[in-house]
């Protein structure tokens, strides 16, 4: 019984390794497709957010700390960056992010 178990285990491990290789390839292909879009190739009119602002232009004018937070998709970093600003400045940047579609309220 033990030999049969070990043989089954070895087959399972080999199948797991094969699937991991295939899955890694699928993930890499998906990432390549997602990264393949260059926002500069999209006409400005099509990029405009719900408030009529261009997200590329808004992003470029954000403080570096907010840009880093958006790029890393880290909301804690974004909160920290906003808390370090004067309330009026934080409100202005956040409103521009919402109007450009970089940030969704709610």
């Amino acid at each position: 019984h033990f030999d049969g178990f070990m043989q089954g285990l070895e087959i399972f491990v080999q199948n797991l390794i094969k699937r991991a290789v295939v899955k890694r390839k699928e993930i890499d292909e998906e990432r390549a497709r997602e990264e393949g879009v260059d926002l500069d190739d999209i006409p400005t009119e099509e990029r405009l957010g719900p408030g009529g602002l261009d997200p590329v232009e808004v992003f470029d004018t954000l403080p570096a700390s907010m840009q880093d937070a958006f790029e890393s998709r880290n909301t804690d970093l974004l909160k920290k960056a906003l808390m370090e600003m004067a309330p009026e400045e934080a409100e202005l940047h956040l409103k521009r992010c919402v109007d450009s579609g970089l940030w969704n309220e709610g």
Side-chain angles (χ1 to χ4, degrees):
H1 292 294
F2 183 72
D3 290 337
F5 172 76
M6 291 306 292
Q7 187 177 15
L9 181 60
E10 182 64 28
I11 290 170
F12 175 75
V13 169
Q14 292 303 319
N15 288 337
L16 191 61
I17 291 170
K18 288 177 189 174
R19 178 64 186 136
V21 169
V22 169
K23 186 67 176 171
R24 170 47 96 194
K25 185 178 178 186
E26 290 171 355
I27 289 170
D28 289 344
E29 289 172 356
E30 178 69 23
R31 232 181 238 144
R33 278 195 298 273
E34 289 175 358
E35 293 172 357
V37 175
D38 185 358
L39 291 177
D40 291 328
D41 293 339
I42 300 172
T44 304
E45 312 81 55
E46 293 179 23
R47 285 195 312 236
L48 298 180
L53 297 181
D54 180 0
V56 174
E57 291 177 15
V58 170
F59 183 84
D60 289 343
T61 63
L62 292 175
S65 58
M66 286 185 72
Q67 289 183 9
D68 292 342
F70 273 109
E71 286 177 339
S72 66
R73 298 175 188 222
N74 186 328
T75 55
D76 289 334
L77 275 179
L78 182 59
K79 288 176 189 173
K80 183 176 183 258
L82 290 168
M83 295 301 286
E84 292 172 352
M85 295 177 198
E88 299 82 22
E89 182 184 8
E91 189 176 322
L92 171 73
H93 285 301
L94 198 51
K95 179 171 180 2
R96 294 183 76 237
C97 289
V98 169
D99 289 346
S100 68
L102 285 173
W103 184 261
N104 294 323
E105 289 183 301

